[in-house]
Amino acid sequence: MGPTFITLEGPDGSGKSTQAALLAERLRQIGLPVVLTREPGGTSVGQKLREILLNPDIKLSVMTEVLLMAADRAQHVQEVIKPALENNMVVVCDRYIDSSLAYQGFGLLGEISQVKAINETAIDGIWPDLTILLDVEPEAGLRRHRQAESEAGRSQCSGRTNGLDRIEQRDLQFHQRVRDGYHVLTRMYAQRFVVIDTTRLQIETVAQKVWEAVAQRIKAAHG
Ligand code: TYD
């Protein structure tokens, strides 16, 4: 069937959520059963963890943030991802282990060994078959994100400044480390990564590139 576990990654404002939804739709159109999910917050326990993780009024230590992200992931793997894969469904996940490696590893700690070890325990051997990195300069991404959030009226929500959550509010240097970190990951895990530069591209054009990456793998798997 080709890649069954597909993850979308990228800096904030890279358009992952839109692209994840469009990809899921397209896979359904060719008759594949799809589960579309996301992190943090892909389960009801995860929803509660997401509220804690993203609330700017809550101060978390670095290790608490690492562990809560991993806890969200562990629950998500056992409750949603693993059962879906066992039922031969295609799982499209908006963020997964690479987000923790990029944000908590490269972004907060400056290296990934500890975050990687913790997350390897959380994912129980379930690595993505294909990871699509939607790349964007942090400045452009945050601008795009702020605009989308204010159009959705989210700046009025509790604790958000300019519509940005606790992690998005970090300084540009943090977001630059995240972005650079993703590039390191694409070299570490070159087999499963496909990079799409989304700068100045329309949603439809990015969607087409995402689809080409997925379709190529499906074709390759069919020999
Ligand atoms: P996301 O849901 O993609 O943001 P939004 O829906 O607001 O566009 O992700 C929320 C934030 O959580 C985002 O800034 C990235 C961060 N994050 C981590 O720092 N580590 C992780 O492991 C995950 C999954 C997300």
Side-chain angles (χ1 to χ4, degrees):
M1 197 194 331
T4 50
F5 183 23
I6 304 168
T7 58
L8 281 103
E9 293 283 353
D12 290 285
S14 56
K16 290 171 296 77
S17 311
T18 307
Q19 294 300 332
L22 290 170
L23 173 61
E25 183 56 39
R26 199 132 185 202
L27 287 164
R28 287 189 185 113
Q29 278 169 7
I30 63 162
L32 294 174
V34 180
V35 170
L36 172 62
T37 186
R38 70 158 180 183
E39 292 188 355
T43 62
S44 51
V45 167
Q47 271 302 117
K48 293 188 194 299
L49 293 174
R50 182 181 172 95
E51 278 168 31
I52 298 169
L53 279 160
L54 301 186
N55 186 340
D57 298 331
I58 296 178
K59 299 279 165 277
L60 296 178
S61 80
V62 170
M63 199 37 69
T64 309
E65 181 174 313
V66 171
L67 291 168
L68 290 184
M69 287 290 183
D72 168 74
R73 185 159 300 123
Q75 185 71 22
H76 194 208
V77 166
Q78 299 307 326
E79 199 177 311
V80 177
I81 299 173
K82 217 171 172 189
L85 294 173
E86 282 166 2
N87 280 316
N88 296 319
M89 300 185 81
V90 179
V91 176
V92 175
C93 191
D94 181 353
R95 296 198 183 280
Y96 191 59
I97 187 168
D98 300 300
S99 282
S100 280
L101 297 174
Y103 282 77
Q104 283 67 49
F106 289 112
L108 286 180
L109 293 165
E111 59 96 38
I112 62 168
S113 59
Q114 217 175 1
V115 178
K116 184 164 178 268
I118 290 165
N119 275 278
E120 275 173 348
T121 307
I123 66 171
D124 196 16
I126 310 286
W127 284 90
D129 299 300
L130 173 63
T131 300
I132 297 169
L133 173 63
L134 298 180
D135 195 25
V136 66
E137 285 278 353
E139 234 167 343
L142 287 169
R143 206 179 314 120
R144 210 191 276 173
H145 192 79
R146 232 174 251 136
Q147 201 176 337
E149 293 289 300
S150 78
E151 276 162 19
R154 268 190 240 163
S155 44
Q156 281 85 36
C157 290
S158 72
R160 284 180 175 243
T161 308
N162 294 324
L164 298 182
D165 68 38
R166 197 177 60 82
I167 293 175
E168 290 157 355
Q169 283 180 16
R170 290 183 177 145
D171 63 20
L172 200 56
Q173 282 84 346
F174 169 82
H175 291 284
Q176 192 62 55
R177 286 195 298 279
V178 170
R179 201 259 183 140
D180 295 344
Y182 270 126
H183 284 272
V184 175
L185 295 175
T186 65
R187 292 190 289 275
M188 267 177 71
Y189 300 109
Q191 293 270 49
R192 67 176 165 89
F193 262 101
V194 169
V195 184
I196 297 173
D197 181 357
T198 67
T199 316
R200 284 185 290 275
L201 291 187
Q202 300 288 323
I203 289 174
E204 298 73 32
T205 315
V206 177
Q208 188 52 34
K209 286 176 183 279
V210 169
W211 181 244
E212 279 162 18
V214 172
Q216 198 183 44
R217 302 267 173 139
I218 291 176
K219 227 161 136 193
H222 281 293

